[in-house]
Amino acid sequence: MSRSTLTTLGSVAERAIRYGIVAVFGEGFRRRNPGAIVNAVFALAATFLPDAVERLYGVEFRPWQRVYAGGAMLAHAVGMLGPYDDTWWWDHVTHTLSTTLLAGFVHAAADRRGRDPAPRVLAVVVFAGLFWELLEYLIHAVSRRLGIEPILVSYSAQDTLLDLVFNMVGATLVLVFGDRLLANFDSESDS
C-alpha cells in the first residue's frame, strides 16, 4: 500500500474516531451523564494533540500512530457510557493504552535529547499514575460530598492497585517496542 493511501486511510479513521467521540458526547448529554460529557470533550481535544506536537517539535506522526492515539481516546470516552462499570477488563485496557501514549511521548522526548528513555519513562509513569489516582479519588470524594455525579470514579483500593499495575504494563510495552515503533520521532531521523 502506498504512503499516500495509508495517509488517506489514516485521515478517514481519525475523522471516524472524532465522530465517535462526538457521539459519546451526545449520548452523555442525552443521559445527563456529566462524566461522559466532560471525558468526551477532553478526549476530542486530545485527538488534536498530534497536530500540535508536529507543529511544535517538527516531527511527523505515522498514520497508524494518529489512529492509535485517537482510538485510545475513543475507548476512554466510550467507557464512561457503561463499559467501565459493566466490562471487568475495560479499565485495564484503557489504562494500558493511555499509559503507552504518555510513555511514548516521554520515550520520544528522551531519545531526541540523547538520553536513556527507560528511567524517565518509568519515573513519569509512576508519578503520573499516582497523581491521577489521587485526583480520581479527590474528585469522587468531593462529588459525593456535594451530592453531584462524579466525572471520575474511584472504585476501591484494589482497583487503584490494578490501575497502577496496568500503567506499568503500558510503560513496559513502550520500553520494549519504543525504539522501533517511535523511531520517526528521533532527531536523527529528521535529516
Side-chain angles (χ1 to χ4, degrees):
M1 210 176 286
S2 73
R3 183 180 173 132
S4 65
T5 302
L6 288 174
T7 301
T8 301
L9 289 173
S11 295
V12 169
E14 263 190 298
R15 207 167 319 128
I17 287 167
R18 288 179 180 143
Y19 288 144
I21 294 170
V22 169
V24 169
F25 176 86
E27 183 61 14
F29 190 79
R30 188 186 73 75
R31 292 184 189 184
R32 297 175 191 204
N33 179 336
I37 293 168
V38 170
N39 282 282
V41 167
F42 279 103
L44 183 63
T47 66
F48 292 96
L49 283 177
D51 297 325
V53 170
E54 284 181 339
R55 281 191 302 279
L56 286 170
Y57 296 102
V59 297
E60 186 177 339
F61 279 75
R62 293 177 180 148
W64 74 264
Q65 291 167 330
R66 290 173 155 285
V67 171
Y68 181 87
M73 295 299 100
L74 178 60
H76 177 64
V78 167
M80 298 305 292
L81 294 176
Y84 279 127
D85 295 324
D86 303 334
T87 308
W88 67 268
W89 49 263
W90 195 272
D91 192 36
H92 307 323
V93 170
T94 58
H95 267 270
T96 302
L97 291 171
S98 297
T99 300
T100 61
L101 297 178
L102 175 62
F105 180 82
V106 173
H107 189 286
D111 263 356
R112 285 182 72 82
R113 291 187 173 102
R115 309 258 201 261
D116 179 11
R120 288 158 180 80
V121 165
L122 293 174
V124 168
V125 166
V126 167
F127 287 113
L130 291 171
F131 174 76
W132 180 260
E133 293 303 320
L134 179 62
L135 182 67
E136 197 173 75
Y137 174 79
L138 290 173
I139 286 173
H140 191 206
V142 169
S143 296
R144 288 183 72 194
R145 184 173 290 274
L146 296 175
I148 60 175
E149 180 86 19
I151 59 172
L152 293 173
V153 179
S154 177
Y155 293 99
S156 66
Q158 179 183 358
D159 176 66
T160 297
L161 181 61
L162 283 170
D163 288 350
L164 296 172
V165 166
F166 282 95
N167 289 350
M168 293 310 295
V169 169
T172 301
L173 288 170
V174 169
L175 292 176
V176 170
F177 300 108
D179 287 338
R180 186 166 53 93
L181 296 178
L182 302 171
N184 56 304
F185 298 119
D186 191 346
S187 60
E188 292 176 12
S189 68
D190 293 343
S191 33

